[in-house]
Amino acid sequence: MSHLALSATATLPHFNRTVKRLNKVFPIFTGRYAFKSSLYGNFQRKGFSICASANTGMSGDVAEVSEREQDLKHYIWPDKKRPRVCILGGGFGGLYTALRLESLTWPDGKKPQVLLIDQSDRFVFKPMLYELLSGEVDEWEIAPRFSDLLASTEVQFIQDKVKLLHPYDMPRSGAERHQCAGSVQLESDFLIEYDWLVLALGAEPKLDMVPGAVEYALPFSNFEDACKVNNKLKALERKYFGKGCPIKVVIVGCGYSGVELAATVSERLKDKGIVQAINVQNTICPSAPPGNREAALKVLSERNVELLLGYFVNSIKRSADIEVLNQFVDSGNIGMQQEAKELVVEIQPAERGMQGQNLEADLVLWTVGNKPRLPQSDPSGKPNMLPLNGIGQAETDETLRVKGNPRIFAVGDSSALRDSSGKLLPPTAQVAFQQADFAGWNIWAAINDRPLLPFRFQNLGEMMNLGRYDAAVTPSFIDGLTLEGPVGHAARKLAYLIRLPTDQHKVKVGLSWFAKEAIDSVATLQTTLTKVLSGSS
């Protein structure tokens, strides 16, 4: 757990002078003034102030505290001499970098202290969030808590949001390795000094592209989003139970996420719902291998998903705010009880020759557009020390170090790295997973004065979830091969089982999935035997 230094704000300078004197006699004095972060809330409630201690570098020297930092609470690293690695973000890039650093062999005294910071208390295996909607997996399987994953490691974890970055100007001389490389300020006003920083904050949905999207559309990007969508579907299923009125779901975007959502939701609702998917392009998943795209089109057609291709969303409004609402009542259902839907999605054609439409919806799911979650740099008047591209990603060299900042690495959606053709690497879990391996190794190499390795992305193929027993898998090492249906589904789950973060978690999840498959097989066999026996009698 994190450690805090306890002192009174008004007596900070006197306290620092006292610490300096005591350090000369008792070098371990400050280490014994460390408190577990679980006590932080108690100190706040009782009127105590957790405030800044003096800046310390790897050498343990004490520097003066700036005015800006006097009101902040410093994180106290357990060891003054070992390197300090701060990782921002606990997704594929951040967590797997931490685990990579933990797994490497380090010389005596060189193994770094690793601190992982994330705004959630859970690691989320995002490619399998769809299985949460279908009921195929449990929460703990794809969203385990960091405290459980890191229990057998030395990696420390803090749940908090990042507010500001304070990268310091590093000297050109050999004294660089003995000085703090910068600090990170959290929303809770913690100030964490680091020797090495990893930016792995990922991205968040960009909903402000269309009027009404922020207010009325639900994104599907993280664990909390998946829970909200699942709860909304449950509420709609209860609301319309036995009424004969279909649940209408509109999905904005037909990339991988949109198509996987459409397949999963349509399978869940069956004939109780209508799913419409909108895409500005005239095809779904334009960057996907042809085999995956064809398999997806087949499944969506079988489940009567209506694809509105070549349209963009103009606005999302509440039906109560619209004076004239188009009614989509089929002539054969005139006698059926109809209920006004809560939302209306106005779509316009991207090309001439088609008419705009108003789509009624009980639920609008948003899968278009993301923005990196990189925090602001020090607002003290200095120019932004992190070179960012047009969409807010940090520009890195081929070793994943941020340009101009040799002590800062960026991976995943936080990184703007281009392949040999000059094209930005895609913001996928596969890229982040591979970058984490290189980032961990390159931090090891930098600490041990070894050459850093250039990152080379290896595309292993693409996978797509299409329902409880459907998937499409196109491996890159076999041209033209696409595994579909139950075979693709099994291959996809096996591939993701192997990619789960720790061996302990892999074993627990593997046993859980095996038990579920066994139960499903027995239930299917019983159903088949019952039908056979009833037919023979």
Side-chain angles (χ1 to χ4, degrees):
M1 296 294 292
S2 60
H3 294 73
L4 308 176
L6 178 64
S7 62
T9 306
T11 61
L12 180 62
H14 173 73
F15 178 79
N16 286 334
R17 288 193 295 270
T18 304
V19 170
K20 289 180 183 180
R21 298 190 188 102
L22 288 173
N23 273 337
K24 296 179 180 179
V25 182
F26 303 106
I28 62 173
F29 176 80
T30 53
R32 296 186 180 182
Y33 273 76
F35 291 82
K36 292 292 184 179
S37 62
S38 59
L39 299 178
Y40 170 52
N42 293 331
F43 286 132
Q44 276 193 319
R45 287 191 293 271
K46 295 179 180 180
F48 286 87
S49 172
I50 310 290
C51 67
S53 65
N55 290 339
T56 57
M58 289 174 59
S59 62
D61 294 333
V62 181
E64 293 301 324
V65 181
S66 66
E67 292 182 5
R68 182 202 71 205
E69 297 174 349
Q70 286 190 7
D71 294 330
L72 301 179
K73 305 171 286 286
H74 272 236
Y75 175 82
I76 302 300
W77 294 85
D79 193 317
K80 290 185 176 182
K81 296 182 179 180
R82 290 164 54 198
R84 303 167 296 183
V85 178
C86 184
I87 301 177
L88 307 183
F92 281 96
L95 175 63
Y96 285 64
T97 297
L99 295 175
R100 175 63 167 157
L101 289 169
E102 180 74 12
S103 68
L104 292 170
T105 301
W106 295 87
D108 291 341
K110 291 282 188 78
K111 184 176 182 180
Q113 306 164 89
V114 179
L115 177 63
L116 179 66
I117 302 170
D118 195 90
Q119 63 183 2
S120 172
D121 66 336
R122 296 172 181 267
F123 163 73
V124 182
F125 202 93
K126 289 187 177 182
M128 298 196 74
L129 281 176
Y130 311 97
E131 279 86 338
L132 205 59
L133 299 184
S134 65
E136 189 176 349
V137 301
D138 296 323
E139 291 181 1
W140 68 269
E141 295 172 345
I142 63 165
R145 298 186 185 278
F146 287 111
S147 57
D148 295 330
L149 294 175
L150 301 175
S152 60
T153 72
E154 296 182 17
V155 178
Q156 306 296 305
F157 173 71
I158 290 180
Q159 183 182 353
D160 208 334
K161 291 184 178 180
V162 180
K163 183 177 182 179
L164 292 172
L165 296 181
H166 306 290
Y168 300 160
D169 292 324
M170 299 303 300
R172 301 293 180 181
S173 65
E176 174 183 336
R177 68 167 50 252
H178 297 295
Q179 294 193 3
C180 174
S183 62
V184 176
Q185 184 179 339
L186 305 182
E187 291 285 352
S188 60
D189 282 338
F190 267 118
L191 194 70
I192 301 173
E193 295 173 342
Y194 63 82
D195 300 308
W196 306 91
L197 181 69
V198 179
L199 300 176
L201 289 165
E204 58 187 0
K206 191 175 182 180
L207 293 174
D208 56 359
M209 303 165 62
V210 170
V214 174
E215 296 84 357
Y216 306 122
L218 290 181
F220 196 82
S221 176
N222 54 40
F223 177 72
E224 289 74 20
D225 294 338
C227 290
K228 288 180 182 178
V229 173
N230 190 40
N231 292 335
K232 181 65 174 178
L233 287 172
K234 288 180 180 178
L236 290 172
E237 288 165 341
R238 289 192 298 267
K239 177 181 178 180
Y240 290 110
F241 180 75
K243 293 185 177 181
C245 182
I247 300 169
K248 291 189 176 180
V249 179
V250 172
I251 298 173
V252 182
C254 289
Y256 265 101
S257 182
V259 168
E260 290 176 297
L261 262 180
T264 302
V265 173
S266 62
E267 181 186 51
R268 171 171 172 164
L269 298 179
K270 296 183 172 64
D271 57 353
K272 297 180 295 183
I274 297 174
V275 177
Q276 297 171 303
I278 306 165
N279 203 40
V280 69
Q281 295 175 297
N282 291 317
T283 184
I284 66 170
C285 301
S287 62
N292 279 13
R293 190 182 310 115
E294 293 169 6
L297 286 170
K298 178 183 176 182
V299 169
L300 296 180
S301 176
E302 291 173 351
R303 296 179 188 164
N304 298 318
V305 175
E306 182 181 356
L307 295 176
L308 298 166
L309 305 178
Y311 287 90
F312 65 89
V313 176
N314 194 47
S315 68
I316 303 173
K317 300 177 181 179
R318 291 195 317 129
S319 58
D321 298 333
I322 300 179
E323 296 180 1
V324 180
L325 181 63
N326 292 336
Q327 300 296 328
F328 301 93
V329 181
D330 186 72
S331 58
N333 296 328
I334 295 179
M336 183 182 298
Q337 181 182 359
Q338 298 290 327
E339 290 196 23
K341 301 302 181 182
E342 181 180 355
L343 302 173
V344 174
V345 181
E346 180 188 350
I347 62 174
Q348 295 293 332
E351 300 177 358
R352 294 181 179 180
M354 297 187 293
Q355 296 294 323
Q357 301 182 44
N358 285 342
L359 308 177
E360 289 183 306
D362 295 291
L363 175 62
V364 178
L365 301 179
W366 191 271
T367 69
V368 179
N370 289 298
K371 54 184 178 181
R373 288 194 299 210
L374 284 180
Q376 296 179 354
S377 294
D378 190 340
S380 59
K382 297 180 181 179
N384 195 328
M385 298 184 69
L386 297 182
L388 306 179
N389 65 1
I391 60 175
Q393 296 171 312
E395 294 279 2
T396 67
D397 61 22
E398 60 181 2
T399 67
L400 301 177
R401 290 186 297 186
V402 175
K403 293 179 179 179
N405 294 267
R407 296 288 196 91
I408 302 178
F409 290 78
V411 297
D413 294 343
S414 297
S415 169
L417 183 63
R418 301 179 183 276
D419 58 20
S420 56
S421 64
K423 184 179 179 181
L424 279 176
L425 293 176
T428 63
Q430 183 179 176
V431 171
F433 183 88
Q434 293 184 29
Q435 286 182 331
D437 188 52
F438 275 77
W441 173 262
N442 281 343
I443 291 174
W444 181 96
I447 292 174
N448 291 284
D449 296 320
R450 302 290 183 86
L452 277 62
L453 296 177
F455 175 72
R456 296 290 183 266
F457 173 60
Q458 294 184 348
N459 186 3
L460 303 178
E462 297 187 24
M463 300 185 288
M464 178 186 295
N465 173 62
L466 296 172
R468 193 173 179 88
Y469 301 105
D470 277 297
V473 178
T474 301
S476 62
F477 46 85
I478 303 178
D479 291 338
L481 175 64
T482 299
L483 304 177
E484 302 178 36
V487 175
H489 180 265
R492 177 177 175 273
K493 287 193 73 172
L494 178 60
Y496 283 151
L497 178 64
I498 296 173
R499 288 296 177 92
L500 290 177
T502 66
D503 292 338
Q504 296 91 330
H505 192 62
K506 291 174 187 176
V507 171
K508 290 193 293 185
V509 172
L511 292 175
S512 177
W513 288 356
F514 178 79
K516 290 175 183 177
E517 290 293 335
I519 293 172
D520 288 345
S521 299
V522 171
T524 302
L525 180 60
Q526 287 178 337
T527 302
T528 303
L529 289 176
T530 300
K531 290 181 179 179
V532 171
L533 293 176
S534 61
S536 61
S537 60

